[in-house]
């Protein structure tokens, strides 16, 4: 039976540590870290995620600047808000919640955020730095996944890691971070010829596609580490991951639950990035 990689508990420890560092830093005259959350439109899931992010800011003693804009906001209006945040010295991190409403150019918006304040690690300059193995602000979900794997005590050196999903937010950056830790990495996607065969070979599996139970339990290699990034809502309203948790747990050595696995770690890493952006310890 797999052991649970408890993201909720680990994230709580990370937040506690950040809270102590913030209190100590402010005592010695460092500025209070500030995170701006930008939410455009009415996507219900995005509203929930941003609420959690704002609450986490409060908990660790950050300032939160919240900008909420209607779905019919123009590209120019959004860019001018981002420009204000870029030049506001109290704002150290800027997060534009995705997805943006139709009609807005996501790539242009992400590029408009100052790379020095890019708490999400989505700016092309930060993504390029990651590709070259340089220090930079890195995407939060992959950072959270790496912390979870580290907490499991599993050494990635020489292991076969399989990433299912090729997004700029999770799939591509986590593949680079696993590679940096000397795993042999495959990236699978909707055109992969035999997904089951790829997954069967994985010592470490990262599932990040957003399709409920796409990964079957019997595909999991005995003893594998299974990280499930998917958050899918079922018809009965419950949340489930991309992996069939029950069956996969019988074969994996470690597995993340949904909810309570990767999600809380993403938010903890967002705070950590904001602190780094504020105090320059990158
Ligand atoms: N939408 C889904 N995941 C994320 C994330 O990590 N950051 C932002 N800003 N939007 C998202």
């Amino acid at each position: 039976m797999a052991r649970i990689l408890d993201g909720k508990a680990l994230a709580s420890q990370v937040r506690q540590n950040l809270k102590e560092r913030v209190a100590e830093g402010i005592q010695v005259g460092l500025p209070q870290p500030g995170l701006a959350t930008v939410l455009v439109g009415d996507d219900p899931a995005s509203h929930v995620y941003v609420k959690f992010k704002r609450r986490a800011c409060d908990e660790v003693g950050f300032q939160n600047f919240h900008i909420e804009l209607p779905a019919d906001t123009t590209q120019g209006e959004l860019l001018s808000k981002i420009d204000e945040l870029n030049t506001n010295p109290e704002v150290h991190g800027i997060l534009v919640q995705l997805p943006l409403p139709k009609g807005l150019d996501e790539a242009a918006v992400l590029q408009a955020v100052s790379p020095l304040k890019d708490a999400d690690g989505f700016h092309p300059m930060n993504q390029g730095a990651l590709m070259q193995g340089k220090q930079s602000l890195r995407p939060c979900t992959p950072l959270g996944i790496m912390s979870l794997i580290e907490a499991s005590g599993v050494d990635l050196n020489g292991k076969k890691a399989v990433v299912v999903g090729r997004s700029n937010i999770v799939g591509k950056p986590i593949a680079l971070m696993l590679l940096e830790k000397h795993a042999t990495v495959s990236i699978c996607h909707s055109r992969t010829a035999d997904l089951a065969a790829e997954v069967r070979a994985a010592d470490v599996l990262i599932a990040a596609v957003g399709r409920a139970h796409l990964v079957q339990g019997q595909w999991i290699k005995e003893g594998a580490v299974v990280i499930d990034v998917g958050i899918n809502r079922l018809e009965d309203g419950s949340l489930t991951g991309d992996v069939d948790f029950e069956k996969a747990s019988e074969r994996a050595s470690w597995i993340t639950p949904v909810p309570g696995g990767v999600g809380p770690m993403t938010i903890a890493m967002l705070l950590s990035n904001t602190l780094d952006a504020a105090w320059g310890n990158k």
Side-chain angles (χ1 to χ4, degrees):
M1 238 358 228
R3 282 189 280 177
I4 299 292
L5 268 174
D6 187 344
K8 197 172 162 195
L10 185 58
S12 170
Q13 281 176 29
V14 173
R15 290 196 306 274
Q16 185 57 38
N17 178 268
L18 289 170
K19 185 176 174 174
E20 286 163 18
R21 283 176 61 199
V22 170
E24 285 164 15
I26 288 172
Q27 284 260 316
V28 299
L30 290 171
Q32 182 184 17
L35 176 68
T37 42
V38 181
L39 180 54
V40 190
D42 336 289
D43 180 71
S46 289
H47 277 257
V48 172
Y49 295 140
V50 169
K51 184 173 78 183
F52 287 154
K53 291 170 183 179
R54 298 181 65 200
R55 191 183 291 164
C57 268
D58 291 343
E59 187 191 331
V60 300
F62 287 5
Q63 279 201 86
N64 175 235
F65 301 83
H66 183 55
I67 313 282
E68 208 162 310
L69 298 167
D72 61 359
T73 300
T74 65
Q75 183 80 8
E77 286 164 347
L78 180 53
L79 292 180
S80 99
K81 275 287 167 212
I82 289 172
D83 215 39
E84 277 173 35
L85 297 170
N86 281 341
T87 53
N88 182 343
E90 290 189 291
V91 172
H92 305 99
I94 301 170
L95 165 151
V96 181
Q97 186 65 30
L98 303 178
L100 290 171
K102 283 201 180 62
L104 292 171
D105 178 349
E106 198 164 281
V109 169
L110 297 180
Q111 194 156 354
V113 172
S114 162
L116 301 174
K117 297 190 177 187
D118 177 30
D120 257 329
F122 292 167
H123 191 285
M125 200 181 280
N126 285 321
Q127 297 218 320
L130 168 61
M131 203 204 77
Q132 295 191 346
K134 292 183 181 146
Q135 280 193 347
S136 63
L137 291 165
R138 292 182 167 192
C140 304
T141 298
L143 283 176
I145 293 169
M146 294 307 284
S147 295
L148 284 164
I149 295 173
E150 197 181 328
S152 77
V154 170
D155 181 8
L156 287 166
N157 198 329
K159 296 276 165 42
K160 171 126 177 99
V162 172
V163 178
V164 188
R166 54 175 158 177
S167 69
N168 289 336
I169 294 181
V170 184
K172 284 189 240 175
I174 189 63
L176 292 168
M177 291 186 206
L178 292 163
L179 183 63
E180 191 176 52
K181 296 290 179 195
H182 315 294
T184 301
V185 184
S186 302
I187 305 179
C188 302
H189 46 79
S190 52
R191 311 281 176 92
T192 294
D194 188 349
L195 181 62
E198 301 291 341
V199 171
R200 281 196 176 100
D203 301 308
V204 176
L205 176 73
I206 315 291
V209 271
R211 278 189 47 199
H213 298 184
L214 173 75
V215 175
Q216 296 180 22
Q218 70 266 26
W219 297 354
I220 302 297
K221 182 173 176 176
E222 205 64 53
V225 176
V226 175
I227 308 285
D228 193 346
V229 185
I231 303 178
N232 309 291
R233 198 167 286 282
L234 296 178
E235 277 179 9
D236 67 3
S238 63
L239 294 177
T240 195
D242 290 349
V243 179
D244 178 351
F245 180 87
E246 299 301 329
K247 294 224 176 66
S249 302
E250 292 168 14
R251 305 173 66 85
S253 60
W254 290 96
I255 190 166
T256 58
V258 177
V262 175
M265 289 302 294
T266 296
I267 298 181
M269 294 301 120
L270 173 70
L271 301 172
S272 171
N273 274 352
T274 303
L275 190 71
D276 290 340
W279 293 353
N281 24 355
K282 275 270 163 191

